[in-house]
Amino acid sequence: MSTDKVKETEEKVRQETRRILKRVGRKRGNLIPILQKVQGRLGYLPRQAMLEIAQFLDVPAIDVYSVVTFYNQFRLNPPGKHSIRVCLGTACHMKGGYITLDAWKRRLDVDRGETTPDREFDLDTVACVGCCTMAPVTVVDDKPQAKVEPTKVDGILLSFEHEREKKSKENQ
Amino acid sequence: MKVAELPTIHLAFQEIKSRAQWHWQELWSSGRPVIMVGAATCGRAAGALEVLRAIRGEIKRQKLDCPVIEVGCMGHCYAEPIVIITKPGYPPICYGHVNAVIAERLIREFILGDDPCLEFALGALAENDLVPSFSDFPRAKYEKKVILGNCGQIDPTEIDHYLANGGYSALIKALYMAPEEIINKVEESGLRGRGGAGFATGQKWQICRNAPGNPKYIICNGDEGDPGAFMDRAILESDPHSVIEGVIIAGYAIGARYGYIYVRAEYPLAVERTRVALRQARKLNLFGKNILGSDFSFDIRLFQGSGAFVCGEETALIASLQGEPGLPYYRPPYPAISGLYRKPTAINNVKTFAYIRHIIDNGARRFAGIGTEGSRGTAVFALAGKVVNTGLTEVPMGTTLRQVIFDVGSGIPQGKHFKAVQIGGPSGGCLPESALDLPIDFDSLRDAGAMMGSGGMVVLDEDDCMVEIARYFLEFTQRESCGKCTFCRLGTKQMLEVLDDISKGHGKIEDIDMLYQLAQDVNAGSLCGLGKTAPNPILTTLRYFRDEYEAHITEGRCPALMCRDLIAYYIIPEKCERSCDACVGSCAVEAITTNKKRIKVIDQEKCVKCGTCLSACPPQYNAVVKLSPPSEVPR
């Protein structure tokens, strides 16, 4: 990216963050809700956003960073278009969640916590989404999918591919 | 001093309540059939939203006039998606495993026609001559629904449904009582906190009420981080007002000004439903400034956790509410004396708050009459894993594990053998068959080496390896350890490495002693429950399943055929059918080839041991087997 473009993105991040900050109180206790809102808006927490928040709450930037890196929910890099969250709760694990995770890793060719180079998918695990009766569960784009075994992994990816093809045909 | 000397509160509530009752009655007595769809997270995972869409679409096509209501979780999660149809002239019938096609058929044949499609029915909600009702199920003998009573029966996004079913009447009753009276009542009921530790709720409230400091806080701990537990999620998604009512009553009893409901971010639907419920209750002034005209003001905020297991620990949860990393701190002073912003704070679990209205409404004695001497009331369990009827259940304390797993849960699927039940999540332990007749309460489980925890129960069968489950929990606690205490941070890591070695067949027999030693150290050297109880899964599996550890170490064999480094998949040539290709197509890594005799062979180098071929092989051949140690595979 050219420097101009970098600056432009940073400015956009700052503006978006400020817009959210306008609607919250300057209280340390609001830090986590603020981070959640900013991430909800931007998809992740860029450096500029964290700096803005630190300044707003009048806390050292390192405090914001330490909270962001402490909690599993927050991410420091942009997400993929589709999020894949493999549940590794007890029931899911015992019913083969780790095998499902392997299948996702194999098919997407990324490790947990990574995004595919084309930014289509990001793969991660989640401690438990509480759908233990549907184990093994994978949360695809915020929707929990029941009984996701390696063959269903292929099925889900295939449906995304179909969608993409359909869209590109429509565009033609 | 009683806050409510005036009749105004009563009058204000009567108005709200009669409006709600009118709405509720209108729904049921207009002669229209009513359709309810279980749309909690478990139902949605199984496809409840598609069913909902199909039902609404068909109703529109047929130009029918019948209300469709999204309800919460009935507890029969094994049969999701669930649809309940109440048609005049029929009992309310509950249908299980519904999909879009069945849903459309139900509309056409039952709502439009007169065929109740009993082939899809799970049971009726009331006794009748047509369909067996849920009260005829064997599990009904053991179940006693107190806080799950409303779950799956009302629309959680409609406060009127809750009000019409007796909701918030306990709050009104409480407002006419002195705070001490409420605390005495809770104390009398013998209610112990349902978060796991089982501290007497009344006592906690008393301490908090007496503690100096202002303002005081109430926190509802809905950071249900135990993997394998989903009771709090189900309650918040299905009956959020019952929790809110408990929080308000607690606020009044303690003299608090603010309450927080802390829900974990992994439960987006629970967050949403709680938010809606809070908005509705605030609008009716059931909490907020001068509740219903009294001089008691109390506000509740919703706080979303952000994915840290340690935040289930009360002091860590407080840290995260203050915008800090969730590190626990030393107790005493306990939060009841110095908690959020160093003010007196009463923290209780979601279920504890949900019980309050029943204790106030029906009396302490009624609650104390359920359960055992030391543990009063009911216990809510989330049944998952290798059990037929997965889902939620509520049984009196003192019910045995066997009754819960085999009578309520209908035992182990596919005729497999019960091996253990993991109870209490990462802090709990695995109990074997010999412990099945233990009555479940706070104390008996602790004696057996486990703990009730918040109530997650994962059933394990003969195919589950005990070393692997211990390793799984250590991997979890190791990752979730906040890092504050050295013994927890490094000790869990060490234990995990030892277990990793054992599950890969590199263990030494001395490792077992080392695990015991480390377990003691981690327990003694950790500040909070996470570290203190982290060794429990290892200790209980060693205590009851030591032979499995020894088989891994001395023979390089995994008796349950689960540890991937110690097993191999093999196709028995004599059983393999020449004309069948099922496994070849199913293999994700193309490790299966066909030889000259058209018998399928697995390339052990390529095989990733995912087990897909084993499930793909048709049952009439059953040619794919797992062998352990891998050297058992014939060359």
Side-chain angles (χ1 to χ4, degrees):
Chain A
M1 255 194 283
S2 68
T3 32
D4 280 357
K5 206 151 183 208
V6 170
K7 272 196 186 140
E8 198 181 301
T9 331
E10 281 179 359
E11 190 47 42
K12 222 175 129 196
V13 164
R14 262 197 292 267
Q15 275 174 6
E16 291 280 3
T17 312
R18 277 187 208 140
R19 196 170 304 160
I20 289 164
L21 290 175
K22 258 185 214 154
R23 277 171 286 151
V24 285
R26 278 176 207 267
K27 210 175 74 179
R28 171 76 195 240
N30 282 342
L31 176 55
I32 291 175
I34 290 172
L35 291 170
Q36 284 165 339
K37 280 191 186 121
V38 173
Q39 176 162 304
R41 178 98 198 144
L42 301 173
Y44 72 116
L45 293 165
R47 183 189 151 87
Q48 295 307 326
M50 287 193 277
L51 287 171
E52 277 301 315
I53 295 167
Q55 205 181 7
F56 176 77
L57 293 177
D58 195 21
V59 294
I62 186 71
D63 280 16
V64 175
Y65 185 73
S66 92
V67 166
V68 169
T69 48
F70 183 87
Y71 294 99
N72 295 326
Q73 191 193 7
F74 300 123
R75 49 184 306 147
L76 295 167
N77 47 7
K81 212 162 103 196
H82 302 292
S83 82
I84 309 287
R85 299 280 173 276
V86 184
C87 180
L88 288 185
T90 320
C92 288
H93 181 79
M94 295 322 270
K95 285 198 164 177
Y98 59 102
I99 291 172
T100 307
L101 177 63
D102 272 357
W104 284 111
K105 280 190 197 167
R106 200 163 48 234
R107 287 298 184 238
L108 298 176
D109 200 20
V110 288
D111 211 338
R112 65 156 86 156
E114 292 181 356
T115 308
T116 52
D118 59 1
R119 289 228 184 281
E120 276 290 314
F121 297 97
D122 65 81
L123 178 65
D124 213 336
T125 58
V126 51
C128 181
V129 291
C131 294
C132 311
T133 56
M134 304 288 158
V137 171
T138 297
V139 186
V140 180
D141 288 340
D142 297 327
K143 188 176 177 295
Q145 301 260 5
K147 305 204 166 92
V148 182
E149 281 157 8
T151 36
K152 193 159 175 189
V153 168
D154 292 348
I156 293 170
L157 286 175
L158 203 64
S159 67
F160 278 127
E161 209 167 298
H162 275 308
E163 226 169 81
R164 251 201 318 274
E165 271 170 25
K166 222 168 103 187
K167 260 195 199 137
S168 67
K169 252 184 212 160
E170 276 167 17
N171 287 343
Q172 270 167 17
Chain B
M1 179 204 78
K2 284 178 202 174
V3 162
E5 304 280 357
L6 306 158
T8 46
I9 302 180
H10 211 82
L11 288 175
F13 182 68
Q14 267 315 317
E15 203 189 309
I16 294 171
K17 190 168 173 167
S18 34
R19 201 176 325 131
Q21 277 168 331
W22 185 79
H23 268 149
W24 180 252
Q25 244 128 46
E26 189 195 38
L27 175 69
W28 294 102
S29 58
S30 62
R32 297 171 299 179
V34 178
I35 302 171
M36 303 201 283
V37 180
T41 307
C42 40
R44 290 178 178 210
L49 293 182
E50 284 81 8
V51 169
L52 208 56
R53 227 180 347 255
I55 290 179
R56 291 205 167 115
E58 191 63 23
I59 285 179
K60 212 167 163 194
R61 259 194 300 283
Q62 308 285 357
K63 299 198 175 59
L64 290 166
D65 171 33
C66 55
V68 181
I69 306 170
E70 277 183 58
V71 295
C73 174
M74 274 185 67
H76 297 274
C77 305
Y78 59 92
E80 294 282 6
I82 286 177
V83 173
I84 303 167
I85 298 181
T86 312
K87 186 176 172 179
Y90 291 89
I93 305 176
C94 174
Y95 299 89
H97 305 287
V98 179
N99 56 30
V101 180
I102 298 177
E104 282 169 13
R105 220 178 115 184
L106 285 172
I107 303 291
R108 278 195 307 271
E109 291 177 16
F110 186 28
I111 305 281
L112 216 55
D114 268 317
D115 173 11
C117 298
L118 293 183
E119 60 271 38
F120 305 121
L122 214 56
L125 298 183
E127 300 256 3
N128 64 90
D129 301 329
L130 184 69
V131 210
S133 73
F134 282 120
S135 54
D136 299 328
F137 280 31
R139 63 189 285 174
K141 204 171 115 196
Y142 301 98
E143 286 190 300
K144 181 161 184 61
K145 294 203 170 178
V146 178
I147 54 174
L148 294 187
N150 270 341
C151 296
Q153 310 295 332
I154 59 168
D155 185 341
T157 61
E158 286 281 355
I159 193 170
D160 283 353
H161 287 197
Y162 179 73
L163 282 163
N165 284 283
Y168 289 108
S169 62
L171 170 67
I172 304 310
K173 213 166 158 185
L175 288 177
Y176 281 95
M177 288 161 75
E180 281 84 5
E181 238 179 295
I182 298 173
I183 296 181
N184 283 344
K185 217 166 181 181
V186 173
E187 222 157 323
E188 242 172 79
S189 74
L191 176 66
R192 290 170 70 175
R194 294 302 199 259
F199 191 80
T201 307
Q203 204 182 332
K204 189 187 275 184
W205 289 12
Q206 189 68 61
I207 295 170
C208 192
R209 178 168 179 80
N210 294 343
N214 234 331
K216 291 177 182 174
Y217 295 98
I218 304 288
I219 298 176
C220 170
N221 184 347
D223 193 52
E224 185 178 46
D226 278 15
F230 49 91
M231 303 77 55
D232 298 355
R233 171 184 69 68
I235 292 171
L236 287 172
E237 283 176 2
S238 314
D239 195 13
H241 286 289
S242 67
V243 180
I244 295 171
E245 186 174 357
V247 171
I248 306 171
I249 295 173
Y252 174 67
I254 287 161
R257 179 69 186 81
Y258 299 105
Y260 283 94
I261 297 184
Y262 189 106
V263 186
R264 65 196 282 255
E266 288 88 338
Y267 290 169
L269 189 64
V271 169
E272 188 46 38
R273 296 237 166 115
T274 309
R275 179 171 298 150
V276 170
L278 282 174
R279 193 162 54 221
Q280 294 172 339
R282 186 182 284 125
K283 206 171 159 196
L284 293 180
N285 195 220
L286 292 164
F287 71 86
K289 208 157 179 227
N290 297 87
I291 295 177
L292 297 178
S294 70
D295 58 10
F296 172 55
S297 297
F298 182 71
D299 203 25
I300 305 180
R301 281 165 212 167
L302 176 68
F303 191 92
Q304 267 190 71
S306 22
F309 173 63
V310 70
C311 287
E313 212 285 331
E314 54 185 17
T315 57
L317 186 148
I318 287 173
S320 99
L321 271 176
Q322 295 174 353
E324 293 153 22
L327 304 181
Y329 56 83
Y330 183 76
R331 302 178 301 185
Y334 284 88
I337 300 204
S338 168
L340 186 63
Y341 303 115
R342 307 213 167 179
K343 301 292 181 195
T345 305
I347 304 191
N348 283 110
N349 177 265
V350 167
K351 291 175 290 285
T352 315
F353 283 118
Y355 280 112
I356 300 300
R357 61 178 282 233
H358 297 280
I359 293 171
I360 301 293
D361 249 346
N362 305 327
R365 216 167 299 154
R366 176 111 156 246
F367 183 85
I370 312 170
T372 62
E373 184 67 37
S375 308
R376 304 292 186 184
T378 56
V380 181
F381 290 106
L383 268 176
K386 311 286 179 64
V387 60
V388 176
N389 295 344
T390 53
L392 275 188
T393 183
E394 183 172 6
V395 294
M397 289 274 187
T399 307
T400 65
L401 282 167
R402 189 186 299 280
Q403 286 162 341
V404 172
I405 297 166
F406 287 89
D407 293 318
V408 176
S410 296
I412 318 297
Q414 294 163 357
K416 299 262 173 144
H417 232 75
F418 172 86
K419 185 188 253 177
V421 55
Q422 207 291 329
I423 178 165
S427 317
C430 292
L431 299 179
E433 203 164 355
S434 63
L436 276 182
D437 292 311
L438 271 181
I440 310 168
D441 62 34
F442 288 107
D443 310 304
S444 67
L445 287 179
R446 197 160 301 157
D447 296 340
M451 64 181 265
M452 209 164 88
S454 53
M457 229 186 233
V458 180
V459 182
L460 306 170
D461 72 3
E462 56 191 274
D463 295 336
D464 295 319
C465 171
M466 292 297 124
V467 180
E468 172 56 28
I469 186 124
R471 198 199 62 76
Y472 162 77
F473 279 117
L474 255 293
E475 192 180 355
F476 180 81
T477 37
Q478 191 269 322
R479 191 186 322 210
E480 293 294 336
S481 168
C482 74
K484 181 165 181 166
C485 309
T486 315
F487 283 95
C488 176
R489 182 177 72 242
L490 300 179
T492 52
K493 178 94 181 144
Q494 276 305 317
M495 288 197 281
L496 174 62
E497 277 173 16
V498 171
L499 288 172
D500 261 336
D501 277 348
I502 294 176
S503 69
K504 286 187 175 134
H506 307 315
K508 297 185 288 291
I509 200 77
E510 309 88 78
D511 285 349
I512 294 184
D513 288 331
M514 173 131 89
L515 283 176
Y516 275 118
Q517 184 65 46
L518 281 166
Q520 264 179 14
D521 296 344
V522 171
N523 175 291
S526 302
L527 204 53
C528 80
L530 187 147
K532 278 197 179 308
T533 55
N536 279 358
I538 303 186
L539 291 176
T540 48
T541 46
L542 269 173
R543 176 163 157 195
Y544 299 114
F545 302 96
R546 196 186 169 109
D547 53 327
E548 287 200 23
Y549 280 83
E550 287 169 353
H552 282 74
I553 295 171
T554 55
E555 300 167 52
R557 179 173 67 89
C558 176
L561 303 173
M562 187 177 187
C563 294
R564 275 197 284 181
D565 290 281
L566 301 183
I567 59 163
Y569 284 83
Y570 175 64
I571 299 173
I572 302 170
E574 295 77 27
K575 284 189 169 180
C576 183
E577 166 62 39
R578 292 168 55 193
S579 63
C580 166
D581 260 345
C583 57
V584 180
S586 77
C587 182
V589 291
E590 292 167 12
I592 304 178
T593 49
T594 310
N595 71 10
K596 271 182 234 149
K597 294 181 196 151
R598 295 218 26 89
I599 299 297
K600 272 60 74 184
V601 186
I602 299 177
D603 181 342
Q604 299 295 341
E605 295 285 302
K606 278 191 189 165
C607 177
V608 290
K609 303 176 186 174
C610 66
T612 311
C613 53
L614 196 144
S615 1
C617 186
Q620 61 268 38
Y621 310 136
N622 240 342
V624 185
V625 289
K626 288 193 262 187
L627 299 172
S628 179
S631 56
E632 292 281 294
V633 175
R635 294 198 174 252

